[in-house]
Amino acid sequence: MRKRSCFTCKSLEEEHRFLETREAAWLKKETGEKNVDGFMVCLASLNDEGKQCRNLRTYFTEKPFREPLRLPEPS
């Protein structure tokens, strides 16, 4: 996948991936959206422990929400 810039981590180019089924279900519940197929999650590492940015964006929009929305860490 082509790299995209990320608004939250302020990086010019970071890896993003499309949401997994469980993540898409969470986003639908969180936002009330019926279709979240175009959303991606930022995989940028924010610190030395490997914590990821996890900011959500759409394929064409860096800031799809008024405030950045981050996907929760996997449990």
Side-chain angles (χ1 to χ4, degrees):
M1 174 178 291
R2 254 177 48 201
K3 291 185 176 186
R4 302 281 185 187
S5 60
C6 182
F7 173 72
T8 301
C9 60
K10 307 283 193 283
S11 178
L12 295 178
E13 288 194 342
E14 288 298 342
E15 291 286 341
H16 288 74
R17 66 166 172 78
F18 288 101
L19 302 179
E20 296 170 0
T21 304
R22 187 181 79 231
E23 296 167 337
W26 175 86
L27 184 57
K28 284 179 183 180
K29 184 176 179 182
E30 186 73 16
T31 63
E33 296 280 334
K34 292 186 188 316
N35 184 349
V36 296
D37 292 342
F39 281 89
M40 301 184 301
V41 61
C42 180
L43 302 177
S45 181
L46 296 179
N47 58 27
D48 293 336
E49 290 92 45
K51 183 175 180 178
Q52 290 180 331
C53 171
R54 300 186 64 80
N55 182 49
L56 293 170
R57 62 165 294 153
T58 64
Y59 195 72
F60 297 108
T61 309
E62 277 187 22
K63 301 184 283 184
F65 306 106
R66 177 171 282 187
E67 297 292 323
L69 183 59
R70 293 187 181 182
L71 195 63
E73 293 289 331
S75 49

